[in-house]
């Protein structure tokens, strides 16, 4: 049996935005753990706190309260510069709905960028970039400009770029939001392949129950809190389960 190993643990995370005299509680006392080689899906209606959570995990925003542990060690002040850039470079890969590639660059240059920013040697940059491009099936297209690729191929490049530095955590914000259903399945299958081949830990935010079906665990947010969660079981169809919980939450 493989031991369950925690990559990320967050404890009592709170985020309050103050607008004049009003306070918006975007996250309230959120606790969860992400294990090595696990896909955790975060679901919830608009305004429930999903993006706030992802921004805090990614070091793009500061929590008002709470603790974050990466690989068992607390990261304090990780969201403040100069630590934030270091924290992101060493621990986090991002994939967004809109791919966010640099179209002036080739596929290979886009993927190599995080390694260049980490000042890796030319040989490490070339080897890691080529390995990732092979893994996502785009090695043959490496000299093309990213604009010449389809949406699904661009998202593959974005996944390769996010993982080329071997981050502890991949944060994916609606990664299939701009894709048709067949291409969405291909990207979700790619994420599962990265989980299996690289033992990659992934936090995936989505509105879509079909996407949530790819999670090992699914958390449901409402008004900044986790209000429901389940663990995937081979014999229970995730889509039906997710839809049932979503319907119950809408009624509550
Ligand atoms: N910069 C900000 N200033 C003030 N309030 C904010 C800010 N960012 C988010 N909020 C508020 O925090 C709450 C959670 O927002 P968040 O964007 O995390 O929700 P979400 O679940 O990601 O929504 P969506 O699915 O629409 O992206 C909302 O009430 C939102 O209005």
């Amino acid at each position: 049996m493989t031991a369950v190993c925690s990559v990320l643990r967050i404890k009592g995370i709170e985020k309050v935005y103050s607008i004049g005299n009003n306070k918006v509680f975007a996250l309230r006392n959120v606790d969860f753990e992400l294990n090595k080689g696990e896909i955790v899906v975060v679901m919830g209606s608009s305004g429930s706190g999903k993006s706030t959570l992802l921004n805090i995990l990614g070091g793009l925003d500061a929590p008002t309260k709470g603790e974050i542990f990466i690989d068992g060690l607390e990261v304090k002040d990780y969201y403040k510069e100069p630590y934030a850039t270091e924290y992101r470079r060493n621990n986090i890969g991002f994939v967004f709905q809109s791919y966010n590639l640099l179209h002036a660059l080739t596929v290979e240059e886009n993927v190599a960028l995080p390694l260049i920013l980490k000042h890796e040697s030319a040989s490490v940059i070339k080897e890691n970039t080529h390995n990732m491009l092979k893994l996502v099936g785009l090695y043959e297209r490496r000299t093309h400009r990213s604009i010449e690729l389809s949406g699904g191929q661009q998202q593959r490049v974005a996944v390769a770029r996010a993982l080329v530095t071997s981050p502890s955590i991949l944060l994916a914000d609606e990664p299939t939001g701009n894709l048709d259903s067949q291409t969405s399945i291909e990207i979700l299958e790619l994420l599962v392949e990265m989980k299996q081949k690289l033992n990659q830990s992934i936090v995936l935010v989505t509105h879509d129950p079909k996407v949530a079906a790819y999670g090992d665990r699914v958390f449901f947010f409402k008004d900044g809190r986790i209000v429901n969660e389940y663990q995937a079981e081979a014999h229970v169809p995730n889509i039906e389960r997710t839809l049932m919980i979503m319907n119950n939450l809408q009624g509550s």
Side-chain angles (χ1 to χ4, degrees):
M1 210 171 106
T2 329
V4 174
C5 174
S6 165
V7 168
L8 167 78
R9 187 166 144 237
I10 64 173
K11 227 178 120 191
I13 289 290
E14 182 183 283
K15 178 68 185 181
V16 183
Y17 290 106
S18 297
I19 305 161
N21 289 333
N22 292 330
K23 284 186 183 322
V24 177
F25 282 79
L27 293 176
R28 301 166 193 254
N29 201 20
V30 175
D31 293 334
F32 84 81
E33 208 159 8
L34 172 70
N35 296 315
K36 189 88 194 120
E38 178 184 47
I39 299 182
V40 160
V41 169
V42 173
M43 292 204 78
S45 55
S46 184
S48 60
K50 305 180 300 295
S51 301
T52 304
L53 176 74
L54 227 54
N55 289 343
I56 288 176
L57 295 181
L60 300 170
D61 205 352
T64 316
K65 240 199 232 172
E67 294 156 10
I68 298 194
F69 300 82
I70 302 267
D71 296 326
L73 294 176
E74 185 174 2
V75 284
K76 279 190 186 288
D77 292 335
Y78 71 98
Y79 45 81
K80 292 184 187 158
E81 290 301 351
Y83 311 114
T85 304
E86 195 78 354
Y87 167 83
R88 286 195 293 270
R89 271 186 203 157
N90 292 332
N91 299 297
I92 309 290
F94 290 98
V95 174
F96 303 96
Q97 177 170 346
S98 50
Y99 327 132
N100 292 7
L101 300 179
L102 297 175
H103 291 319
L105 303 184
T106 64
V107 165
E108 179 166 357
E109 287 163 346
N110 267 285
V111 176
L113 209 51
L115 295 169
I116 295 169
L117 292 172
K118 275 188 92 176
H119 307 290
E120 296 290 358
S121 68
S123 59
V124 166
I125 292 172
K126 190 170 175 188
E127 188 183 341
N128 291 13
T129 302
H130 284 191
N131 285 344
M132 274 316 302
L133 284 169
K134 284 175 193 161
L135 211 51
V136 303
L138 285 172
Y139 181 72
E140 307 304 328
R141 307 293 298 268
R142 66 190 180 283
T143 57
H144 288 232
R145 295 256 304 277
S146 56
I147 192 82
E148 295 164 16
L149 303 184
S150 69
Q153 288 170 331
Q154 289 191 42
Q155 196 60 304
R156 279 175 182 272
V157 176
V159 170
R161 180 186 56 184
L163 297 183
V164 76
T165 53
S166 308
S168 305
I169 305 157
L170 174 67
L171 300 176
D173 195 358
E174 299 277 5
T176 58
N178 280 349
L179 302 172
D180 62 52
S181 54
Q182 182 50 38
T183 314
S184 295
I185 291 171
E186 287 165 18
I187 291 298
L188 291 162
E189 285 176 349
L190 177 70
L191 293 180
V192 172
E193 200 183 324
M194 297 300 112
K195 170 184 99 162
Q196 289 164 345
K197 287 191 175 157
L198 306 175
N199 207 17
Q200 184 64 49
S201 310
I202 302 173
V203 179
L204 201 169
V205 165
T206 184
H207 284 99
D208 185 347
K210 292 196 283 305
V211 176
Y214 289 79
D216 298 302
R217 283 188 297 145
V218 184
F219 289 102
F220 294 82
F221 275 70
K222 187 171 185 182
D223 300 330
R225 295 181 205 276
I226 296 176
V227 289
N228 208 323
E229 65 178 88
Y230 72 77
Q231 180 129 17
E233 296 162 57
H235 60 286
V236 183
N238 275 9
I239 296 181
E240 287 164 32
R241 207 170 180 185
T242 304
L243 281 170
M244 204 173 75
I245 295 172
M246 285 168 77
N247 286 338
N248 286 342
L249 285 179
Q250 266 162 15
S252 66

